[in-house]
Amino acid sequence: RAPSGLLHLSNFGVRGGSLEVGGHGVKKVKLFQVHVELNEEDSSNDALVLHEIGKGCYDPDRFFLQECEVRGGSDGVMISASGVWIKSCRILGADSRGIFSNYEFVIEDSTVQGCGSYGMKTRSGCVRRGRNNIQAGPWDEHEGGGGMFARMMGGAMDGTVAPGGYNMPFEMGRTF
């Protein structure tokens, strides 16, 4: 941990184990070209886990991941913190989901593919920027389309749903 509270890992790799990042003494995390690969024998764990940092402070990009690659794990990336921005990363081959997030986060110009169930499960939403290549899940079709949720609610592919006959706007590509 740096005196400023910045944790910066660059050109760093973990093979055969999880990487967990967090702690109240850390104010900001930058991961650049960090590679995490979790073996199939240990796939009950998540490959990269982002825990809360910086008690009492908030910054929209407290966690900045750039050009990172995460392979394997039960979930590839488990986000248990606010302020995460994933840019130009590849998240591949997780047994379940590529990204499981309890907080809203930003994903930009990244790939999430080859996962056992689907690319992302978000509980608070996700902001997509740039060109992403995200494996579709059962509740949405990333990068356009209505998804299962819209079809179940009587929606069309035009961005509206009609529960009980009332048209309501439906934000395309947002995971609930």
Side-chain angles (χ1 to χ4, degrees), residues 6-106:
L6 171 66
L7 172 63
H8 185 165
L9 294 176
S10 181
N11 298 304
F12 180 81
V14 175
R15 179 174 283 164
S18 296
L19 175 61
E20 296 195 30
V21 179
H24 294 300
V26 179
K27 303 289 186 219
K28 196 165 194 123
V29 173
K30 292 187 180 190
L31 304 180
F32 178 73
Q33 294 183 346
V34 170
H35 297 258
V36 180
E37 184 175 340
L38 191 56
N39 298 336
E40 288 184 26
E41 301 85 46
D42 197 21
S43 63
S44 63
N45 293 320
D46 300 325
L48 175 61
V49 181
L50 305 176
H51 295 288
E52 198 59 64
I53 62 171
K55 185 175 182 177
C57 68
Y58 177 78
D59 189 350
D61 65 342
R62 295 185 310 151
F63 284 91
F64 185 67
L65 287 68
Q66 185 174 16
E67 296 180 25
C68 296
E69 185 167 300
V70 177
R71 292 183 174 269
S74 176
D75 291 323
V77 179
M78 170 54 128
I79 300 174
S80 294
S82 57
V84 174
W85 183 3
I86 299 170
K87 182 174 181 172
S88 302
C89 294
R90 293 171 34 100
I91 301 162
L92 307 167
D95 285 346
S96 190
R97 296 149 301 236
I99 299 173
F100 188 146
S101 180
N102 292 308
Y103 293 83
E104 186 168 7
F105 66 99
V106 175

